[in-house]
Amino acid sequence: MAGEDIIGAVYQAVLDGEEDAAGKATTAAMEAGLDPMRVLNEGGAKAIRLVGERFANFEIYLPELMLSADAMKAMMNVLLPVLKRQGTPQSRKGRILIGTVAGDVHDIGKNLVSALLAANGFEVVDVGVNVPSNRFLDEADKVQADILALSALMSTSAYYQEEIIKYLVDSRQREKYFVVVGGGPVTPEWARQIGADGYGRTAQDAVKLCEELMRLKRSQSKPEQTLVFA
Amino acid sequence: MISILDILERAHNGPVCKVKDWDSKVVPKAIAEKLKKYGLTRTCDPAQPIATDDDLLDRYFQAGYELAHEVGMLCQDTERIVQVSEKELQQSLMNARSQITLGRGLDQVTMYSRRPEDSIKPLYQSPLAIAADEDIWSRLLEGIASNRLIDVLETPSLITAYGQKVLANTPLETLVGSLEVAKRDEVLRKVSRPGMPTVGIQSSTTYHAQLGAFNVGNTFTDVALVLSPFELKTSYSALHKAVQALNAGGLIRSGTPSMIGGYAGPPEGAAVANIASTLLQFPVHSAAFAAGSMMDLRYNGNCGREGLWALGTSTQALARNTNVVISKIVESVCGPGTEAFLYELAAGHIVLTVSGASASTGPRSAGGKVINHLTPLECWYSAAVFKAAAGMTREQGNEILEQLIPKYEKLLPHPPLGGSFQELFDVEKLQPKPEWEAMVGNVTRELAQMGLKVEM
């Protein structure tokens, strides 16, 4: 297969949300000696932009978005080691650990944010729902997250967002991560009250918020107050 | 006849399916197949939020019915599918009650299975579990329960128990359950409605509060609330509640919501999923009556055109083809003290009444997002509008909706959240403040000019 065809296969696999096909096409691209940045930009990134646009226009829905995000991850899992070996700066915007806090089994909002973040180039580690605070922190440490994204859909579970931030403060680890919060009962006032770094009202807001936080991180800065994207 | 033991066995031993595969592959694929098979693709008509094509509605029912017995529900704790055969589903629906009497003595009410355009008045259950501070909770509930337009009493959600924050999955949830019931029963005696039917437990959505307080000791709650997450899912938390309610002699109102733009896809897919999930409440959760909300992912409510259409379509399809008792929710997002909220509530409740809902729970003041943003006045108003629309035709409903929806639809993505109980109500006298009362009066007069006479 010619280079154009292989990149076309990567593009199509991500567009169609075919995880296995995306991994295989990307592997074929690397075996054919193609430039990984070209595969990324003309293949997966191009496709995922279109997926994002279609979702924003309600031409496709959450399942398609999730599947394309998974396909994008499969592509990146092949490309990243190659980029690292080449010494090419990694294109991922940042590493985000996301989950729904303890006592809360709601997943749809978290899945939407997770998929949109991945579609926008973030490396997303999704730890699922009903995640105890200590597990959140263990996982954040393990994956060396830049941002903790805490979702809650109940007023009784939103308290765990506060608990996690308080634990980070008390254990003198608050500077290690940015912490952002969202979900049904979560408001900008709540985010400010508990000392979160940011609040996103919608999934699109969450993406903008994380982009801004990573911009601040790259400039070795931090928000002076809770950033609100609403 | 399927029993709760059969369901528990299937939740433990049914076919394996990962939650992620269920959400992103199994359910979307099955819904897409049903939409194609029954010619339902792109049948949502935003210009006509209450569908009037009976053949179309019946095809929606068939699609949802097939989805229910072919796909079943996933237990998200075990990642096992709880399958229900067509015969078991049929038996459950045949055994389901077509009328349910709740409460005691003079406060007793009966909820009936209704048809679209039915003249039987539906019942209003109020309020929704909007979070409220402990110190004003009883006064707020007293204001709501004192009006006889409210048939069944639910409660706001207590955010603290004896001053301590109620954290999910902790013993504080068990404690808040008993506190809620004690405070509620005191309010019922105070407003002289001791036999008013009640639904619990509202202050915690996990099972802890219910295990701690539902019909424990000398208390009595008529209906247990069993809810599970999007889409066609159950959980051990929901099943815990179902088992406990059956043990304690309570009736079960259960529901699994559907979301436009979510796992179910377009409005048409959400309507089919909602029909299926409503039907499955009877065999899976031993429901006496079914709830099951409809949401639109874009603004987390259901009062936009597609949201109303999907809500009404699923309700009509069920009301035309079954004799079950259906309770639904108008998922408003605006807040008390705003006209947009009153228009939103009117539109949603007209759709539900005309579509054949037996009951509604609400109002969802400020989208349930802001503590204390709930007043008794919108509860009375919603109940009055809901009942006033009984007997209205679908065409009349659409004519009124055409005037109402443009008044608020652009605000849905950034809704005005309004004011709190303390800001809009005289808490001491339990009367609305003049501005809020006048606003409701003005909107009520507008509704009368549109053809809906609301009596409060």
Side-chain angles (χ1 to χ4, degrees):
Chain A
M1 237 189 328
E4 291 293 322
D5 294 338
I6 299 175
I7 291 173
V10 174
Y11 171 86
Q12 200 61 47
V14 173
L15 193 65
D16 294 343
E18 297 289 346
E19 188 178 355
D20 290 346
K24 282 178 188 162
T26 311
T27 302
M30 294 303 94
E31 285 169 357
L34 297 179
D35 175 6
M37 287 307 291
R38 191 179 157 211
V39 175
L40 173 63
N41 293 330
E42 294 175 23
K46 190 177 165 190
I48 208 74
R49 271 197 302 276
L50 182 57
V51 168
E53 283 170 24
R54 286 179 177 174
F55 180 74
N57 295 330
F58 245 38
E59 293 163 15
I60 61 167
Y61 305 98
L62 182 56
E64 293 93 327
L65 182 67
M66 287 168 68
L67 292 173
S68 286
D70 285 348
M72 184 78 175
K73 275 186 207 168
M75 180 198 75
M76 290 306 289
N77 286 341
V78 178
L79 289 184
L80 274 178
V82 182
L83 289 167
K84 202 171 177 182
R85 276 200 302 277
Q86 290 181 346
T88 310
Q90 294 183 15
S91 61
R92 281 181 180 168
K93 290 181 179 173
R95 186 174 291 141
I96 299 177
L97 185 87
I98 189 169
T100 305
V101 295
D104 197 332
V105 296
H106 295 90
D107 62 7
I108 198 163
K110 183 263 299 170
N111 286 348
L112 174 56
V113 173
S114 174
L116 268 187
L117 285 168
N120 281 278
F122 286 96
E123 181 181 352
V124 181
V125 180
D126 187 338
V127 284
V129 298
N130 193 16
V131 182
S133 301
N134 54 357
R135 191 175 151 229
F136 248 119
L137 296 166
D138 289 347
E139 292 289 334
D141 192 40
K142 197 192 305 177
V143 305
Q144 296 188 305
D146 298 302
I147 299 173
L148 303 189
L150 313 177
S151 172
L153 205 87
M154 309 184 308
S155 52
T156 50
S157 61
Y159 291 136
Y160 288 106
Q161 296 175 330
E162 181 181 30
E163 181 182 273
I164 289 171
I165 292 174
K166 191 167 180 301
Y167 184 88
L168 286 171
V169 171
D170 292 348
S171 60
R172 299 185 181 184
Q173 298 181 79
R174 184 65 185 87
E175 304 300 316
K176 277 174 82 174
Y177 316 105
F178 289 127
V179 182
V180 300
V181 294
V186 180
T187 60
E189 292 72 31
W190 172 251
R192 287 187 194 105
Q193 188 186 322
I194 64 174
D197 294 299
Y199 161 82
R201 194 176 69 89
T202 66
Q204 287 82 358
D205 292 333
V207 173
K208 288 180 205 158
L209 169 63
C210 290
E211 284 173 342
E212 176 59 16
L213 287 171
M214 290 310 298
R215 190 189 65 76
L216 288 172
K217 182 164 186 171
R218 283 191 294 276
S219 62
Q220 296 188 319
S221 178
K222 60 182 183 179
E224 288 177 8
Q225 55 189 4
T226 304
L227 298 177
V228 172
F229 284 74
Chain B
M1 177 70 187
I2 196 164
S3 74
I4 193 75
L5 279 173
D6 296 321
I7 296 300
L8 294 176
E9 192 276 330
R10 290 172 204 188
H12 195 61
N13 297 313
V16 169
C17 180
K18 290 277 176 201
V19 171
K20 191 165 185 184
D21 287 341
W22 183 261
D23 290 336
S24 62
K25 294 174 185 168
V26 176
V27 169
K29 186 166 174 264
I31 290 174
E33 283 170 6
K34 296 301 167 210
L35 293 180
K36 192 175 175 191
K37 177 177 175 182
Y38 287 97
L40 304 176
T41 307
R42 295 186 196 285
T43 52
C44 169
D45 180 2
Q48 190 175 267
I50 307 177
T52 54
D53 179 344
D54 288 340
D55 174 66
L56 178 71
L57 291 164
D58 292 346
R59 282 187 278 135
Y60 265 97
F61 179 79
Q62 279 306 318
Y65 175 79
E66 274 186 17
L67 186 70
H69 68 75
E70 289 176 6
V71 174
M73 283 186 136
L74 182 74
C75 177
Q76 64 179 166
D77 298 279
T78 57
E79 299 196 315
R80 302 270 183 172
I81 302 170
V82 177
Q83 290 176 320
V84 174
S85 71
E86 183 174 8
K87 191 176 175 192
E88 288 169 333
L89 182 61
Q90 278 177 350
Q91 282 178 336
S92 295
L93 296 176
M94 272 167 36
N95 289 331
R97 302 158 195 233
S98 59
Q99 60 183 66
I100 298 168
T101 299
L102 301 168
R104 292 157 302 286
L106 294 174
D107 299 306
Q108 197 170 70
V109 293
T110 301
M111 201 177 280
Y112 295 95
S113 172
R114 296 175 70 247
R115 299 275 178 256
E117 305 182 351
D118 208 317
S119 59
I120 296 174
K121 286 190 190 304
L123 298 190
Y124 201 67
Q125 310 166 112
S126 190
L128 205 64
I130 309 295
D133 285 322
E134 203 173 342
D135 60 344
I136 56 135
W137 189 94
S138 293
R139 205 67 182 137
L140 178 53
L141 190 64
E142 194 183 325
I144 295 164
S146 63
N147 191 313
R148 287 197 173 261
L149 282 165
I150 310 301
D151 303 291
V152 178
L153 192 64
E154 306 204 13
T155 71
S157 180
L158 280 160
I159 57 167
T160 55
Y162 306 107
Q164 285 200 47
K165 288 174 185 170
V166 180
L167 271 78
N169 267 355
T170 70
L172 276 156
E173 281 202 313
T174 314
L175 191 65
V176 83
S178 57
L179 180 63
E180 176 186 307
V181 170
K183 285 168 81 79
R184 180 200 69 198
D185 288 355
E186 189 183 311
V187 166
L188 287 178
R189 286 191 289 275
K190 201 169 175 188
V191 299
S192 303
R193 299 184 73 180
M196 187 180 192
T198 51
V199 181
I201 305 295
Q202 308 289 337
S203 298
S204 125
T205 55
T206 72
Y207 57 94
H208 296 286
Q210 185 175 312
L211 297 191
F214 187 84
N215 294 352
V216 170
N218 292 324
T219 66
F220 184 75
T221 302
D222 297 77
V223 180
L225 186 58
V226 175
L227 301 173
S228 48
F230 304 92
E231 191 83 57
L232 290 167
K233 287 196 210 107
T234 185
S235 66
Y236 271 154
S237 181
L239 291 165
H240 259 305
K241 288 186 183 182
V243 170
Q244 203 270 352
L246 292 171
N247 283 349
L251 297 173
I252 293 166
R253 183 182 90 204
S254 72
T256 310
S258 301
M259 184 173 267
I260 297 169
Y263 309 131
E268 296 87 351
V272 171
N274 200 247
I275 293 163
S277 73
T278 302
L279 295 173
L280 285 168
Q281 299 309 315
F282 296 93
V284 176
H285 292 142
S286 301
F289 59 119
S293 188
M294 177 66 69
M295 305 288 271
D296 188 320
L297 179 145
R298 290 168 291 189
Y299 56 90
N300 205 23
N302 67 13
C303 293
R305 290 173 183 276
E306 290 91 350
L308 292 173
W309 177 90
L311 176 70
T313 295
S314 65
T315 307
Q316 284 199 72
L318 289 158
R320 282 179 55 79
N321 290 281
T322 70
N323 291 314
V324 299
V325 173
I326 309 160
S327 177
K328 294 282 178 184
I329 298 176
V330 174
E331 303 280 4
S332 52
V333 293
C334 301
T338 70
E339 286 184 339
F341 183 40
L342 300 172
Y343 294 132
E344 224 191 335
L345 289 172
H349 286 103
I350 288 169
V351 168
L352 281 186
T353 306
V354 172
S355 298
S358 313
S360 176
T361 302
R364 184 175 180 247
S365 306
K369 266 188 97 74
V370 192
I371 294 168
N372 298 335
H373 275 222
L374 167 68
T375 85
L377 186 55
E378 70 260 26
C379 302
W380 310 336
Y381 165 85
S382 297
V385 172
F386 189 43
K387 292 171 189 199
M392 183 182 281
T393 66
R394 291 174 290 186
E395 287 77 9
Q396 288 170 325
N398 277 328
E399 282 171 23
I400 297 178
L401 291 175
E402 206 42 56
Q403 299 173 72
L404 281 174
I405 296 172
K407 291 176 182 286
Y408 66 81
E409 63 184 332
K410 286 186 182 155
L411 297 172
L412 294 175
H414 290 91
L417 297 174
S420 67
F421 176 48
Q422 298 96 317
E423 287 165 342
L424 297 168
F425 238 72
D426 183 326
V427 177
E428 188 123 330
K429 293 179 183 162
L430 269 189
Q431 287 174 355
K433 289 186 177 171
E435 198 175 315
W436 179 214
E437 189 172 29
M439 192 183 284
V440 173
N442 289 339
V443 171
T444 305
R445 279 187 286 281
E446 269 188 82
L447 289 172
Q449 284 166 6
M450 293 176 196
L452 183 69
K453 195 175 172 202
V454 178
E455 292 176 354
M456 289 179 65

